[in-house]
Amino acid sequence: MGAARFSRAPRFRTKLAPAMLQFFARRLIVAILVAATVMVLAFALTRLSGDLAISIAGPNATQADVEIVRKAYGLDKPLSVQFFDWVGRAATGDLGDSYFFKKRVADLIAERMPVTFTLGLTGLVIALVVSLPLGILAAVRENTSLDRGVQLVALIGQAMPSFWLGLLLMITLGLQLGWLPISGTGSWQHYVMPGIVLAFSAIPALTRLTRAGMIQALGSDYIRTARAKGLSRAAILLKHALRNAAIPVVAIAAVQLGFMLGGSIVIEQVFALHGVGFLAWESIGKNDFPVVQAVVLVLAVIYVALTMLADLMNAVLDPRLRGP
Amino acid sequence: MSTVSVITGPRRGWRSAGTWIGAAIVGVATVCAIFAPLIVPHDPFTQDLSKRLLPPFWMAGTNPDHLLGTDQLGRDYLSRLIWGCRISMLIGITVTIVSGLIGITLGVLGGFLGGRVDDAVLFAITTRLSIPVVLVALAVVGLLGSSMALLVLTLGLLLWDRFAVVARSTTMQVRNLDFVAAAWCAGCSRARILLGEVLPNIASHLVVVATLEIALAILLEAALSFLGLGVPPPLPSWGLMIAEAKDYMFFSPWVIVIPGVALFVLVLGINLLGDGLRDLFGARSDP
Amino acid sequence: MSALLEVEQLEVSFGRTGAVRGAALTVERGETHCLVGESGCGKSVTALAVMNLLARGARRSARRLAFEGQDLTRLSDQGMAHLRGNAMAMIFQEPMTSLNPAYTVGSQMTEVLRRHKKASQRAATDRAADLLARVGITAPGLRLGQFPHQLSGGLRQRVMIAMALMCDPKLLIADEPTTALDVTVQAQILRLLASLQRDLGLGMLLITHDLGIVARVAHRVSVMYAGEVVESAPTTELFANPRHPYTQGLLRCVPVPGRIKRDQPLGSIPGTVPRIEPGFQGCAFRERCDFADATCAKTIPRHAATADHDFLCRLPA
Ligand SMILES: Nc1ncnc2c1ncn2[C@@H]1O[C@H](COP(=O)(O)OP(=O)(O)O)[C@@H](O)[C@H]1O
Ligand SMILES: [Mg+2]
């Protein structure tokens, strides 16, 4: 009899089950609420120090200067008016103007975001390239010295201060060996060292998760079935076990990217990469509040979006989540 | 009181060796932290410009009076290192106390009461995770000026998420256990059940989280101090020592190697100890 | 010609516990051989040892372990992998978890044929659909595109059976294939296995602890106790003339219509299977046996009741 066509690999079905749609609708509402809360917090954060006008006008300003600044930046209005003004404009993509750079904040962030994103993605790719094989190896050789070695690597990664690792790499790879440029953003080589450093922060979690997932998968009944079918070792490990172990790893990788983007500020400063983190650092030094609150908001929104992406990828990778 | 945590029995081999190494490192660091004023060979703040950047004992041209050499202002490096240990430990522990109070309260309430309260707690955790910690901490300190108290408060307010997640999930497990149900039936009050039954039973999990948080807080403090927005100078925080020595690192790398190794070893030790405790208690620390 | 599967003096141990201790059994071509015994007596471990699927940490040895005369103990992992799923196939007790949740039924079925017979995807798909129909699954084309979680337990076990048959195996090992299923489904699956065995001329090693099943489908029965085969005989012979006290006890536990009077209590064997430590000697059943005496602690000879009926007990015929 003739067989209907079917796909070998699970195909992505755009038709999500109603339960899944509801789940994502709820997630979207939560995401919007989180963004709103972060807006309040970011606004409050910049008002912490009291009178913004005095800070902006600088130490040598007279009372008259301060009053001019206060008027010019709308700081004479009540806080609630200032807040809703900010929210209203942010909703349309207008994040205000930078005091120091004399530019629209949205433009500033858009200019700097590619650097931060390149850095984050480089870090994530390096982290995955290291973590997946290490985690798989450790799981396959569970309880051997190799496994213990991998766990030690994870522990070391966890304890490594990123800025210090960055400096050490600059001294060794940069100065002594001369393999890589020390700072700046001129070429792709400039992203290698900071990428390695950033990757270190994600490697422990990703390696442990891969290892745990693989150990669980390798002990499962369907792997016994795969072996009973006489499949090759590679097919058993990479097709049957890794496919299931990778589901949580891929999801966490998206979340880790969010953490990396938020945490890249230190590394951008060490390597003089002029990304969003560097921008925020400069702005903090210059009391440039619109920029600071906008960067906090943007990074938070990106993080929330990435967690939603993680959930979506889970649904794509795990057929069971796609409904009956 | 009954205890839920599964005791996994005595641990053998390298894992227990790791635990002992971790315990030893933490022990030494604790002694250094507590008795720093008594054991420092020199005053860590006294500058002596005639003795700038003396190399440590394993290098040529060292001065036996300064085992680990001196910094760019001629201050004794060993003394500053010991004093820095005091600051790291102090910050790690106080931040963890603040964040633990916040996180455990939220987590236990959410896990125990469920419903709307739990929804609110989950929302708080989600929001907290979306906030970039380093950036916000830098902004607060940058705005309000650096001081130890402010740093501790800021980090404490930012690092409670793991406490909340673990406290919440373990409380949920404990809530459903028989002896807690029995306590309900016996007419015990909510507060009594929370303090008498739930907290003791989730304590082991929280201790493990606390070690991880201490390590994390120490790393973050170092990073903030390195960026100049952490511990105010001239206090010898290890992060600040690295930042101040950065300009000399290409000529004399040991100026950043020494405080960096100290930082790395301390954090590694705390994590090793935490892993050991986790195995010992059979506790979970992952969200 | 040698038998399909020959096992002699099979030993499997996990650390200090001996799970299988000198088991012997022979499966002839086209024959259903049932392996019965209480749970924990080593039936699954025996089957897994034959397939070389034992968990890491298990040690296996055998005087003879041969498939169609080929020595399996000397076969490389590679060589063994080429037999598994090909000439010898196995289905398991847990249909709910034995299929990979991440791949479609079709994908999991076709990969066997593609691996062992180098079949094209198209040919493999056709064969998979045929077999699904053969094991009684309606709309096979639709099922091929579905994921395991979309199927019921009975359907999954049918898929497992069809998957095992992909490469026309000569030996099918079925380890309690119906234990996890509803009673009505159990009967269907057993009937299916029996008819497949007959129609395809399969050699089948069927593991079960249900003697009712055995009476209906088995040509030959081996009774296992504490890692040993204590009695082995053709089915009718075993039911008519059980020689080992354990077999007799087992048979007393089964209600056979006609033979058992209404209201008469069913028999049961008191006690549990002992844990076998190294250095154990004698009959493992002696603690629970009504006929035991001091000689049971010595090495027990194997007796032959008839040419193809042997048992392991000090009591002579
Ligand atoms: N992976 C394993 N590790 C340790 N012991 C095992 C393992 N698998 C089986 N055993 C032991 O081997 C004995 C026989 O088990 P098994 O063959 O599964 O019994 P059954 O006859 O019910 O199929 C049991 O006592 C069990 O404890
Ligand atoms: Mg079994």
Side-chain angles (χ1 to χ4, degrees), chain A residues 1 3 6-8 10 13 140 142 221-222 224-225 227-232 239-240 243-244 319-320 323-324, chain C residues 53 56 81 84-85 92 94 97-98 100-103 106-108 111-112 115-116 121 125 130 147 149-150:
Chain A
M1 65 163 291
F6 68 95
S7 55
R8 248 160 66 76
R13 298 189 189 167
V140 171
E142 193 192 347
D221 288 340
Y222 58 80
R224 187 183 58 189
T225 305
R227 293 211 291 144
K229 281 156 57 171
L231 299 183
S232 68
K239 182 177 174 190
H240 285 273
R243 179 61 168 68
N244 286 283
R320 282 166 297 187
Chain C
L53 288 176
R56 257 207 314 169
R84 277 199 301 255
F92 301 96
E94 306 85 6
T97 49
S98 288
N100 192 330
Y103 293 100
S107 154
Q108 297 185 58
E111 72 179 337
V112 197
R115 158 113 174 128
H116 294 297
Q121 181 62 36
T125 306
D130 286 348
F147 289 94
H149 74 273
Q150 296 169 296

Side-chain angles (χ1 to χ4, degrees), chain A residues 106-122 185 191 261 268 273-276:
Chain A
D107 293 343
L108 267 175
I109 292 178
E111 260 169 42
R112 307 287 193 99
M113 197 46 102
V115 173
T116 299
F117 239 96
T118 311
L119 176 59
L121 281 177
T122 312
T185 42
Y191 287 95
L261 294 176
E268 288 183 16
L273 287 172
H274 288 240
V276 176

Side-chain angles (χ1 to χ4, degrees), chain B residues 135-258:
Chain B
L135 176 51
V136 170
L138 279 176
V140 172
V141 179
L143 288 169
L144 299 184
S146 53
S147 79
M148 289 273 281
L150 181 66
L151 190 65
V152 167
L153 201 63
T154 310
L155 288 181
L157 282 167
L158 285 168
L159 295 182
W160 50 265
D161 50 291
R162 205 189 328 225
F163 273 116
V165 170
V166 173
R168 177 175 170 275
S169 63
T170 50
T171 302
M172 280 180 170
Q173 284 165 13
V174 170
R175 187 182 60 174
N176 298 324
L177 291 174
D178 290 343
F179 61 86
V180 177
W184 274 120
C185 296
C188 294
S189 71
R190 276 183 178 183
R192 174 105 183 265
I193 292 174
L194 268 181
L195 296 176
E197 307 285 347
V198 175
L199 268 187
N201 277 294
I202 65 172
S204 60
H205 303 265
L206 298 176
V207 167
V208 176
V209 175
T211 57
L212 294 176
E213 290 303 314
I214 292 175
L216 184 60
I218 289 176
L219 275 179
L220 269 176
E221 177 275 316
L224 295 180
S225 298
F226 173 77
L227 292 179
L229 290 171
V231 173
L235 279 179
S237 150
W238 290 342
L240 197 58
M241 286 169 75
I242 295 174
E244 288 169 348
K246 205 174 70 167
D247 295 339
Y248 309 93
M249 69 175 190
F250 289 118
F251 311 105
S252 22
W254 57 267
V255 291
I256 68 153
V257 169
I258 290 173

Side-chain angles (χ1 to χ4, degrees), chain C residues 39-40 42-45 93-94 175-176 207 209:
Chain C
S39 76
K43 306 182 298 291
S44 298
V45 170
Q93 186 176 342
E94 306 85 6
D175 186 359
E176 307 200 29
I207 297 175
H209 48 228

Side-chain angles (χ1 to χ4, degrees), chain B residues 79 112 281:
Chain B
S79 305
F112 194 69
F281 296 152

